[in-house]
Amino acid sequence: MHKLGISVYPEHSTPEKDYEYMKLAAKYGFSRIFTCLLSVDKPKEEIIEEFTEFVARAHELGFVVAADTNPRVFRHLGATARDLSVFAEMGLDVIRLDGNFGELEDRLITRNPEGIKIEFNASADISVDHLIRHGADPRNLQMCHNFYPERYTGLSRKTFDGFNAKWKGLGLSVAAFVSSNNAHTYGPWPVYNGLCTLEADRGLPIDLQMRHLLATEVIDDILIGNAYASEEELKAMSRVDMTKTTVTLILEEGLCEAERMVLTDYHHAGRADASEFLIRSSMPRLDCKDKTIPYRDCGQKVFRRGDVVVVNDNLAHYRGEVEVILKEIPNDGERNLAGRIPVEEFVILERMEENPDHFWDFLTDKK
């Protein structure tokens, strides 16, 4: 079950503003909060008092709260890997470790009697498998990626996928960050170029960033790294179907009834016997045996990557099949151009290409 989360940084705001933001996010179904203790430069007693109050208000709204920590934070608060009582006093549900204590204590911390979940850095090559084999409790262990405030430093797709394959192979929950494009957002540090995990997501609309992470089919929880996202962004994320990959389709004008039906009324899945040229959603053919899809000239001699076509009456045996073009093919008159996937959503098309037989739906503004 996917969860949506926001980030709140109390040291940079006021309790009143944070509470209003938390209420707004709760209204749209968000249930996780990420916060950071790394950037808090206050006496121990002030941190405990302020964060205890902050976490209590978050719990009132139904949030699970995770705080980013490292060994320096532990030392400052008087905690150790064997004694998390100060974090329990603050009410924290999850401690994210942005830094480690060594093999023995990294194992012991997952078995803390306070029942606090331990979140390791999913963007680091940590030997979590070794820890589990030697006594770490996988039931109390989860993973969360970094965010990257500096432009051009976010994870590459290859690096991201490599880490995730490792964590999911261990059966662990994995969270990652998207970034608000709202004006005047901030994070724990004075860098303001967004707080996403994947560099490819930086600057994209927030719901597209979210749909990209979902299309990987390995990310469980999706967190907004910077504060505050706009209500429009929170609403957009709340409306994303988290059960499948969704990709925008800009429909062509003049579609016939059968074309419109096969594009908008189906939960599509491509064939496992995939071609390098296109992804085939063949099931709509079954409903088009007694229908007609006349040939329609689109003025293109070739179909290009991102074009979506429907087989027409000139190839009646396959009439109604929906195909997503991956590699340029000639327009031989057997397919009608039905729409196009926008270039900025090719990040999702790449994921569809990797898993052609997985489910996807088209998002269109015309029904």
Coordinates of all heavy atoms in Angstrom, one line a residue, residues 209-243:
Q209 N 6.2 13.6 -11.5 CA 7.3 13.0 -10.7 C 6.8 11.8 -10.0 O 7.4 10.8 -10.0 CB 7.8 14.0 -9.7 CG 8.5 15.3 -10.3 CD 8.9 16.2 -9.2 OE1 9.6 15.9 -8.3 NE2 8.5 17.5 -9.3
M210 N 5.6 12.0 -9.4 CA 5.0 10.9 -8.6 C 4.7 9.7 -9.5 O 5.0 8.5 -9.2 CB 3.7 11.4 -7.9 CG 3.0 10.3 -7.2 SD 1.5 11.0 -6.4 CE 0.6 9.5 -5.9
R211 N 4.1 10.0 -10.7 CA 3.7 8.9 -11.6 C 5.0 8.2 -12.2 O 5.0 7.0 -12.4 CB 2.9 9.4 -12.8 CG 1.5 9.8 -12.3 CD 0.5 10.2 -13.4 NE 0.8 11.4 -14.1 CZ 1.2 11.5 -15.3 NH1 1.5 10.4 -16.1 NH2 1.5 12.7 -15.9
H212 N 6.1 8.9 -12.3 CA 7.3 8.3 -12.7 C 7.8 7.3 -11.7 O 8.2 6.2 -12.0 CB 8.4 9.4 -13.0 CG 9.7 8.9 -13.4 ND1 10.9 9.6 -13.2 CD2 10.0 7.8 -14.1 CE1 11.9 8.9 -13.7 NE2 11.4 7.8 -14.3
L213 N 7.8 7.7 -10.4 CA 8.2 6.8 -9.3 C 7.3 5.6 -9.3 O 7.8 4.5 -9.1 CB 8.2 7.5 -8.0 CG 9.3 8.6 -7.8 CD1 9.2 9.2 -6.4 CD2 10.7 8.1 -8.0
L214 N 6.0 5.8 -9.4 CA 5.1 4.7 -9.4 C 5.4 3.7 -10.6 O 5.3 2.5 -10.5 CB 3.7 5.1 -9.5 CG 3.1 5.8 -8.2 CD1 1.8 6.5 -8.5 CD2 3.0 4.9 -7.0
A215 N 5.8 4.3 -11.7 CA 6.0 3.5 -12.9 C 7.3 2.6 -12.7 O 7.4 1.6 -13.5 CB 6.2 4.4 -14.1
T216 N 8.1 2.9 -11.8 CA 9.2 2.0 -11.5 C 8.8 0.7 -10.9 O 9.4 -0.3 -10.9 CB 10.3 2.6 -10.6 OG1 9.7 2.8 -9.3 CG2 10.7 4.0 -11.1
E217 N 7.6 0.7 -10.2 CA 6.9 -0.4 -9.6 C 7.8 -1.0 -8.4 O 7.6 -2.1 -8.0 CB 6.6 -1.5 -10.6 CG 5.6 -1.0 -11.6 CD 4.9 -2.1 -12.4 OE1 5.2 -3.3 -12.1 OE2 4.0 -1.8 -13.2
V218 N 8.7 -0.2 -7.9 CA 9.4 -0.6 -6.7 C 9.4 0.4 -5.5 O 9.8 0.1 -4.4 CB 10.9 -0.8 -7.1 CG1 11.1 -2.0 -8.0 CG2 11.6 0.4 -7.6
I219 N 8.8 1.6 -5.8 CA 8.8 2.6 -4.7 C 7.5 2.5 -4.0 O 6.4 2.5 -4.6 CB 9.0 4.0 -5.3 CG1 10.3 4.1 -5.9 CG2 8.8 5.1 -4.2 CD1 11.5 3.9 -5.0
D220 N 7.5 2.4 -2.7 CA 6.3 2.3 -1.8 C 5.8 3.6 -1.4 O 4.6 3.9 -1.7 CB 6.7 1.4 -0.6 CG 7.1 0.0 -1.0 OD1 6.3 -0.8 -1.4 OD2 8.4 -0.2 -0.9
D221 N 6.6 4.4 -0.7 CA 6.1 5.7 -0.2 C 6.8 6.8 -1.0 O 8.0 6.8 -1.3 CB 6.4 5.8 1.3 CG 5.7 4.7 2.1 OD1 4.8 4.1 1.5 OD2 6.0 4.6 3.3
I222 N 6.0 7.9 -1.2 CA 6.5 9.0 -2.0 C 6.3 10.3 -1.2 O 5.2 10.6 -0.7 CB 5.7 9.1 -3.3 CG1 5.9 7.9 -4.2 CG2 6.1 10.4 -4.1 CD1 5.1 7.8 -5.4
L223 N 7.4 10.9 -0.9 CA 7.5 12.1 0.0 C 7.9 13.3 -0.8 O 8.7 13.3 -1.6 CB 8.5 11.8 1.1 CG 8.5 10.4 1.7 CD1 9.7 10.3 2.7 CD2 7.2 10.2 2.5
I224 N 7.2 14.4 -0.4 CA 7.6 15.7 -1.0 C 8.8 16.3 -0.1 O 8.6 16.4 1.1 CB 6.4 16.7 -0.9 CG1 5.2 16.2 -1.7 CG2 6.9 18.1 -1.5 CD1 4.0 17.0 -1.6
G225 N 9.9 16.5 -0.7 CA 11.1 16.9 0.0 C 11.2 18.3 0.6 O 11.7 18.5 1.6
N226 N 10.5 19.2 -0.1 CA 10.6 20.6 0.3 C 9.3 21.1 0.8 O 8.2 20.5 0.6 CB 11.1 21.5 -0.8 CG 10.4 21.3 -2.2 OD1 9.6 20.3 -2.3 ND2 10.7 22.1 -3.2
A227 N 9.3 22.2 1.5 CA 8.1 22.8 2.1 C 8.0 24.3 1.7 O 9.0 24.9 1.6 CB 8.1 22.7 3.6
Y228 N 6.8 24.7 1.5 CA 5.5 24.0 1.5 C 5.0 23.8 0.1 O 5.1 24.7 -0.8 CB 4.4 24.8 2.2 CG 4.7 25.1 3.7 CD1 4.8 26.5 4.1 CD2 5.0 24.1 4.6 CE1 5.0 26.8 5.4 CE2 5.2 24.5 6.0 CZ 5.2 25.8 6.3 OH 5.5 26.1 7.6
A229 N 4.5 22.6 -0.2 CA 3.9 22.4 -1.5 C 2.6 23.2 -1.5 O 2.0 23.4 -0.5 CB 3.6 20.9 -1.7
S230 N 2.1 23.5 -2.7 CA 0.9 24.2 -2.9 C -0.3 23.3 -2.7 O -0.2 22.0 -2.9 CB 0.8 24.9 -4.2 OG 0.7 23.9 -5.3
E231 N -1.5 23.8 -2.4 CA -2.7 23.0 -2.3 C -2.9 22.3 -3.7 O -3.4 21.1 -3.7 CB -3.9 23.8 -1.9 CG -5.1 22.9 -1.7 CD -6.3 23.6 -1.1 OE1 -6.2 24.8 -0.8 OE2 -7.3 22.9 -0.9
E232 N -2.7 23.0 -4.8 CA -2.9 22.4 -6.1 C -2.0 21.2 -6.3 O -2.4 20.2 -6.9 CB -2.6 23.4 -7.2 CG -3.7 24.5 -7.3 CD -3.5 25.6 -6.1 OE1 -2.5 25.6 -5.5 OE2 -4.5 26.3 -5.9
E233 N -0.8 21.2 -5.8 CA 0.1 20.1 -5.9 C -0.3 18.9 -5.0 O -0.3 17.8 -5.5 CB 1.6 20.5 -5.6 CG 2.2 21.4 -6.6 CD 3.6 21.9 -6.2 OE1 3.8 22.3 -5.0 OE2 4.5 21.9 -7.1
L234 N -0.7 19.2 -3.8 CA -1.2 18.2 -2.9 C -2.4 17.5 -3.5 O -2.6 16.3 -3.5 CB -1.5 18.7 -1.6 CG -0.4 19.4 -0.8 CD1 -0.9 20.0 0.5 CD2 0.7 18.3 -0.4
K235 N -3.3 18.3 -4.1 CA -4.5 17.8 -4.7 C -4.2 16.9 -5.9 O -4.7 15.8 -6.1 CB -5.4 18.9 -5.1 CG -6.8 18.5 -5.7 CD -7.6 19.6 -6.2 CE -7.9 20.6 -5.2 NZ -8.8 21.7 -5.7
A236 N -3.2 17.4 -6.7 CA -2.8 16.7 -7.9 C -2.2 15.3 -7.6 O -2.5 14.3 -8.2 CB -1.8 17.5 -8.7
M237 N -1.4 15.3 -6.5 CA -0.9 14.0 -6.1 C -1.9 13.0 -5.5 O -1.9 11.8 -5.8 CB 0.2 14.2 -5.0 CG 1.5 14.8 -5.6 SD 2.8 15.0 -4.3 CE 3.2 13.4 -3.9
S238 N -2.9 13.6 -4.8 CA -4.0 12.8 -4.2 C -4.8 12.1 -5.3 O -5.5 11.1 -5.0 CB -4.8 13.6 -3.3 OG -5.7 14.5 -4.0
R239 N -4.8 12.7 -6.5 CA -5.7 12.2 -7.6 C -5.0 11.1 -8.4 O -5.7 10.5 -9.3 CB -6.2 13.4 -8.4 CG -7.2 14.3 -7.7 CD -7.5 15.5 -8.6 NE -8.6 16.2 -8.0 CZ -9.0 17.4 -8.5 NH1 -8.5 17.9 -9.6 NH2 -10.0 18.0 -8.0
V240 N -3.7 10.9 -8.2 CA -3.0 9.9 -9.0 C -3.4 8.5 -8.6 O -3.5 8.2 -7.5 CB -1.5 10.1 -8.8 CG1 -0.7 9.0 -9.5 CG2 -1.0 11.4 -9.4
D241 N -3.7 7.7 -9.6 CA -4.0 6.3 -9.4 C -2.8 5.6 -9.1 O -1.9 5.4 -9.9 CB -4.7 5.7 -10.7 CG -5.2 4.3 -10.5 OD1 -4.7 3.6 -9.5 OD2 -6.0 3.8 -11.3
M242 N -2.7 5.1 -7.8 CA -1.4 4.5 -7.4 C -1.4 3.0 -7.6 O -0.5 2.3 -7.2 CB -1.2 4.8 -5.9 CG -0.9 6.3 -5.7 SD -0.4 6.6 -4.0 CE -1.9 6.6 -3.1
T243 N -2.4 2.4 -8.4 CA -2.4 1.0 -8.6 C -1.8 0.6 -9.9 O -1.6 -0.6 -10.1 CB -3.9 0.5 -8.6 OG1 -4.6 1.0 -9.7 CG2 -4.6 0.9 -7.3

